[in-house]
Amino acid sequence: MDWTREALAVFVREWRTEWRTRVALTSTVLFAVGALVLIGLAKQVGRTAFEPTVTATLLWIVLLFTAASGLGRAFLHEEERGTALTLRLCARGTTVWTGKFLANAVLLVGIAVITAPTLLTLAETPVRNVGLLTAVSLLGCIGIAAVLTTMSALVAQTSARGGLLAVVSFPLLTPLLLAGVHGTQAALGVGSKPGGMVSFSVGVGDVKILLSFAVIAITASLLLFDFLWND
């Protein structure tokens, strides 16, 4: 119970701090809006609906770089304000990571809930299986949040913080992105007969990969975070 209370305290602290500053929220929303505007302009120039394969790829590109633009501040503001040492003394490393991970995951899922329907509407791409798309998007966001939370702790202690988070995290996130794109394509009906609904079983393999990735990322982060953050 003490561990749970510590993690929840860090989670609440993160959202209170974010509500006062709105740095991560503003950066993620602005990046997502900017990307969607550019995609809308590209569609207007082409004057044709995007292929489902293109739409699926664009969705995950937007989610990845939107996450990298805001979630990287999970530990950066601790180093900037000099509160990292205090946090180390007041809470265990695993509870700190868990609280910050939950805050990042909630933020990214919220952004995805707004971004995905907007992008699909702009691209004029119908969804053939809403449940599959929801499962793929949710598990993908959890996996991205887990990796970026851990990597942000490393990047925050370096001098070159600009685009380093996306560069360092991309190799780790490649399996997730491939499964996410493929699962989204299945939910949009790629490779299926035109019209009608797509069975959930079509993308169950991608869902299993995303679930396994999320479990491995969370478990590895909890096991290694004390060493990464304190040393």
Side-chain angles (χ1 to χ4, degrees):
M1 293 299 296
D2 289 339
W3 189 94
T4 303
R5 281 196 293 267
E6 281 186 21
L8 289 176
V10 174
F11 172 77
V12 172
R13 174 183 176 274
E14 284 297 300
W15 272 106
R16 284 178 176 173
T17 303
E18 179 57 33
W19 189 249
R20 287 196 300 267
T21 62
R22 294 182 176 87
V23 175
L25 183 61
T26 301
S27 60
T28 51
V29 170
L30 288 178
F31 188 96
V33 169
L36 291 173
V37 169
L38 290 176
I39 292 171
L41 291 175
K43 180 180 175 298
Q44 290 299 320
V45 172
R47 297 186 181 278
T48 56
F50 290 160
E51 292 292 329
T53 53
V54 176
T55 303
T57 304
L58 286 175
L59 175 61
W60 285 95
I61 290 175
V62 172
L63 287 178
L64 173 63
F65 287 100
T66 298
S69 68
L71 272 58
R73 295 194 58 83
F75 290 92
L76 180 58
H77 65 83
E78 306 288 357
E79 299 294 336
E80 291 176 342
R81 296 185 300 175
T83 58
L85 179 58
T86 303
L87 196 56
R88 288 186 179 97
L89 295 174
C90 294
R92 285 164 282 192
T94 53
T95 61
V96 172
W97 183 88
T98 302
K100 289 180 177 289
F101 158 69
L102 291 175
N104 282 341
V106 169
L107 176 60
L108 186 56
V109 169
I111 295 296
V113 168
I114 299 172
T115 302
T118 306
L119 176 58
L120 293 171
T121 302
L122 289 174
E124 297 182 15
T125 304
V127 180
R128 303 277 295 281
N129 192 313
V130 178
L132 177 58
L133 180 62
T134 302
V136 169
S137 301
L138 178 61
L139 292 174
C141 288
I142 292 173
I144 291 175
V147 172
L148 292 186
T149 301
T150 304
M151 291 297 103
S152 66
L154 297 177
V155 173
Q157 302 178 47
T158 65
S159 57
R161 299 168 180 170
L164 187 60
L165 180 63
V167 174
V168 173
S169 303
F170 182 76
L172 299 176
L173 291 172
T174 299
L176 180 146
L177 295 174
L178 292 175
V181 170
H182 191 268
T184 303
Q185 289 176 350
L188 299 181
V190 176
S192 303
K193 295 180 180 179
M197 294 294 293
V198 173
S199 173
F200 190 89
S201 61
V202 174
V204 70
D206 299 302
V207 172
K208 289 180 179 179
I209 293 174
L210 291 170
L211 178 60
S212 301
F213 185 96
V215 171
I216 292 172
I218 293 172
T219 303
S221 296
L222 289 173
L223 292 174
L224 299 175
F225 185 73
D226 278 328
F227 172 76
L228 295 175
W229 197 37
N230 292 318
D231 297 335

